[in-house]
Amino acid sequence: MMSTASIITGIIILAVGTYTMRLSGILLNNKAEVSERVKEILSLSAIVILFSVAITSTFFDGGQLADISKIIGVGVAGVLTWQKKPFIIIVLSAAIVTAGLRWLINLWV
């Protein structure tokens, strides 16, 4: 288990790094030229990172595989997102499907 000091040290390092990145963006402003291709790659890399985090948290719950109702609920959210539905509809639908499936599974067990 991590000590309190190591956790606080990690938080401080992350905070300093974050604010250094923000400060460098302000200081460099338009002084550094970045090609359109690099901008496109950076934009796509952010999407890949978010997608991989979403997939990991969908299929795994801690050290175990997630239950099927969670996976189906996230699938419903993915389909509704692809269809460009309003965010509140996406979230409520995913929650209702997940809760409904968990309720049905608990009835059978």
Side-chain angles (χ1 to χ4, degrees), residues 11-25:
I11 291 171
I12 291 170
I13 290 170
L14 286 172
V16 169
T18 300
Y19 286 109
T20 302
M21 292 289 288
R22 288 179 178 223
L23 182 62
S24 67

Side-chain angles (χ1 to χ4, degrees), residues 40-100:
E40 182 180 331
I41 290 171
L42 290 174
S43 176
L44 290 174
S45 65
I47 293 169
V48 169
I49 290 170
L50 289 172
F51 184 73
S52 63
V53 168
I55 291 297
T56 303
S57 63
T58 297
F59 289 104
F60 296 100
D61 190 12
Q64 300 176 353
L65 284 173
D67 61 338
I68 191 69
S69 55
K70 178 180 179 183
I71 295 170
I72 293 172
V74 172
V76 167
V79 169
L80 293 175
T81 301
W82 179 56
Q83 294 177 348
K84 298 181 180 178
K85 300 296 180 189
F87 183 71
I88 189 70
I89 299 298
I90 295 168
V91 172
L92 288 176
S93 298
I96 290 168
V97 167
T98 303

Side-chain angles (χ1 to χ4, degrees), residues 32-43:
E33 293 294 323
V34 178
S35 70
E36 287 300 317
R37 180 73 178 141
V38 171
K39 288 180 184 178
E40 182 180 331
I41 290 171
L42 290 174
S43 176

